[in-house]
Amino acid sequence: MRLLVSFLLAGLITDGEAQNWHGPHPWRANAVVDGRARDYNNEYFLHAFSYRHLIDRPSPIEEGIRGTAGSLTSDRLYMDFRYQQSFAFDDPDQAFTLDIQRAEDFDGSYDRQLVGFRQTLAQRWQLSLQGDVFSDKSLTDIYFGARRLHSEGSWLQLSLVLPNAYFNDKTDSQSELIDEPRTLFAQWHQQHTPWASTTLSVNHTPDATLDDRTQGDRVSSRQTRVALRYREQKGNWQLQTDLNGEHTRRQHQLDERPAPQAFRRDMASLTLAVRYWPHRWQPQVGARYFWLDEDGWFGREPNGNGEVSRQEPMLFGGMSLSLSDTQRLAPTVYLSRPRVEQTVNSPRWRDRDDHGFVGKLSVPWHITVSKQNGAVLSIVPSMRLHRFAFGGGNVQLHWPL
């Protein structure tokens, strides 16, 4: 009961990021070879942040349906969807697991459909085996996991992912994995009290080398992603801190270029939010700083070299207005002044030097569609504040299971 109260109270503060940083994030061949297709404009990360999950149950570490989709441009949609659930056998220590994901990172969009099995031992250990299975067997990823359960909802989890586990044996192409990729995932979740918790998640892929003979690119890569979340209710205040970071390095040897082409990405974001929950409007204010630094060969998709530097401080604030027992409005204002400096030689991207103000008014309409499950449908129209224009529509569904 105390943990249930903790989750309910924590749900009043929203996620710091739309991307799911608190789960295994394995190496992808198309990410390291193609890179990302999109050229970020000056509004992209403002929109993506406003489309973060506005209802936090289920959280990134809970079972249920958790989805958000919003319009970035007239022809591009941002999406972060996850459905995960365990189906217990007659023996409650055994379960079938299902985890369906559709999202994007800095290298583009991806889909995962994980199916697997979980075994509980001595009420303290959970061992799991999952697979992202394809008809083309060379693309199948295999996940091995072990979780040590502690009291009061705390745990330590370690996972090993074998991306494209059978690639060299099953592919019908001439491509080859020279140094096979391995992604290591670790997560520590500590429930300090019923009203305070910390979650630390780390993804690390050591050096891996793919000789993609179809694309004429032999690429070595490594990547580390880290996410830290701290949440606490202290008296009348609810506090949340999110810290995320990425470190990516790649070395390309292209058939048509004699010299190696390097790529570097470093990214960090910090989000702080506080809410005064006893007030009937539950006012919330927050601040966010986002930094992204990239340079080098961006991949086959943009087909060019360049440098990108983004620094985006943001302030945001809002309130919650009750319309009925099952409906409420939560108008929120986002104010940012990004500094974007971009120089590229790609025919699909353009040079950019933006230092102007961008802002957005978002008006989420939250509708409880199942009181028993705590399921909420959110319809979120918005308006740009830096120019008189529609700011994009966003739809979200959160259904704890």
Side-chain angles (χ1 to χ4, degrees):
M1 181 63 183
R2 297 176 69 195
L3 288 177
L4 175 60
V5 172
S6 172
F7 283 130
L8 290 174
L9 292 174
L12 297 174
I13 292 185
T14 57
D15 273 336
E17 298 289 339
Q19 293 188 48
N20 181 15
W21 289 78
H22 292 282
H25 192 74
W27 176 94
R28 306 195 313 277
N30 62 335
V32 300
V33 174
D34 294 333
R36 71 168 183 265
R38 59 188 178 275
D39 179 8
Y40 297 135
N41 58 30
N42 66 327
E43 300 177 351
Y44 177 89
F45 292 103
L46 172 74
H47 290 314
F49 183 76
S50 72
Y51 298 154
R52 72 199 187 283
H53 295 275
L54 298 175
I55 304 296
D56 199 39
R57 291 205 64 218
S59 75
I61 55 177
E62 290 183 284
E63 293 189 350
I65 299 172
R66 166 184 165 87
T68 174
S71 178
L72 290 168
T73 64
S74 60
D75 59 358
R76 182 166 182 81
L77 188 71
Y78 181 93
M79 180 174 292
D80 183 16
F81 173 86
R82 188 172 188 181
Y83 163 54
Q84 53 180 335
Q85 188 172 7
S86 299
F87 301 86
F89 293 1
D90 289 338
D91 180 349
D93 287 335
Q94 300 176 344
F96 169 78
T97 61
L98 181 62
D99 188 348
I100 300 174
Q101 305 169 31
R102 174 170 292 178
E104 67 176 58
D105 59 13
F106 298 110
D107 290 309
S109 58
Y110 59 86
D111 298 285
R112 300 185 184 120
Q113 294 84 34
L114 307 182
V115 295
F117 172 79
R118 187 181 67 218
Q119 173 73 55
T120 301
L121 302 174
Q123 300 182 332
R124 288 295 186 184
W125 288 94
Q126 289 182 345
L127 305 180
S128 62
L129 173 63
Q130 294 177 295
D132 190 3
V133 183
F134 294 86
S135 57
D136 181 351
K137 296 180 182 180
S138 68
L139 302 179
T140 295
D141 297 348
I142 300 177
Y143 293 61
F144 300 95
R147 175 178 289 194
R148 167 66 168 157
L149 304 174
H150 302 283
S151 60
E152 295 295 328
S154 302
W155 64 77
L156 175 64
Q157 177 175 335
L158 300 175
S159 297
L160 170 64
V161 186
L162 309 181
N164 294 14
Y166 309 109
F167 185 84
N168 288 346
D169 296 328
K170 304 294 184 180
T171 185
D172 58 3
S173 72
Q174 297 300 311
S175 299
E176 182 182 7
L177 284 168
I178 306 300
D179 299 311
E180 296 185 352
R182 300 287 185 265
T183 298
L184 309 173
F185 173 73
Q187 183 175 82
W188 172 69
H189 178 76
Q190 182 68 42
Q191 196 72 40
H192 307 289
T193 71
W195 300 276
S197 66
T198 301
T199 305
L200 173 64
S201 302
V202 179
N203 278 278
H204 177 63
T205 300
D207 289 333
T209 303
L210 169 65
D211 187 1
D212 190 327
R213 294 167 188 167
T214 302
Q215 295 277 24
D217 185 5
R218 181 183 176 120
V219 53
S220 298
S221 66
R222 66 181 185 274
Q223 183 179 84
T224 303
R225 287 164 52 103
V226 179
L228 174 66
R229 164 172 293 184
Y230 177 75
R231 315 185 75 161
E232 180 182 9
Q233 180 188 334
K234 196 169 186 177
N236 295 328
W237 300 92
Q238 294 168 351
L239 312 173
Q240 177 170 309
T241 301
D242 280 286
L243 178 63
N244 299 326
E246 178 178 315
H247 175 86
T248 297
R249 296 292 185 270
R250 294 176 188 143
Q251 191 81 9
H252 299 264
Q253 183 60 65
L254 307 174
D255 285 354
E256 70 274 18
R257 298 196 180 195
Q261 305 294 308
F263 174 77
R264 174 185 64 86
R265 176 190 298 127
D266 293 300
M267 168 269 170
S269 70
L270 173 64
T271 305
L272 305 172
V274 58
R275 183 187 295 274
Y276 185 73
W277 69 268
H279 194 280
R280 63 191 181 97
W281 290 348
Q282 296 179 2
Q284 178 187 22
V285 295
R288 181 176 189 258
Y289 184 80
F290 175 83
W291 170 69
L292 177 65
D293 196 19
E294 300 172 302
D295 66 65
W297 173 259
F298 279 81
R300 283 297 187 189
E301 190 65 46
N303 196 34
N305 284 278
E307 297 181 8
V308 176
S309 176
R310 303 182 72 103
Q311 300 178 50
E312 302 192 19
M314 177 188 296
L315 297 175
F316 59 95
M319 61 183 67
S320 179
L321 307 175
S322 177
L323 302 179
S324 69
D325 289 343
T326 59
Q327 300 183 42
R328 60 187 175 93
L329 290 178
T332 306
V333 173
Y334 303 90
L335 305 175
S336 179
R337 191 175 182 84
R339 278 184 46 190
V340 182
E341 298 177 359
Q342 176 171 301
T343 304
V344 293
N345 64 5
S346 166
R348 301 187 55 185
W349 293 11
R350 69 176 182 87
D351 292 347
R352 177 174 289 108
D353 188 5
D354 293 320
H355 292 202
F357 159 78
V358 293
K360 188 173 184 178
L361 170 63
S362 178
V363 188
W365 176 25
H366 301 301
I367 307 168
T368 301
V369 294
S370 173
K371 286 186 176 181
Q372 179 180 357
N373 297 98
V376 178
L377 171 68
S378 303
I379 302 173
V380 191
S382 62
M383 179 69 65
R384 290 178 172 91
L385 298 179
H386 53 287
R387 59 189 176 94
F388 186 73
F390 179 60
N394 175 217
V395 177
Q396 303 189 12
L397 178 64
H398 293 82
W399 198 300
L401 296 173

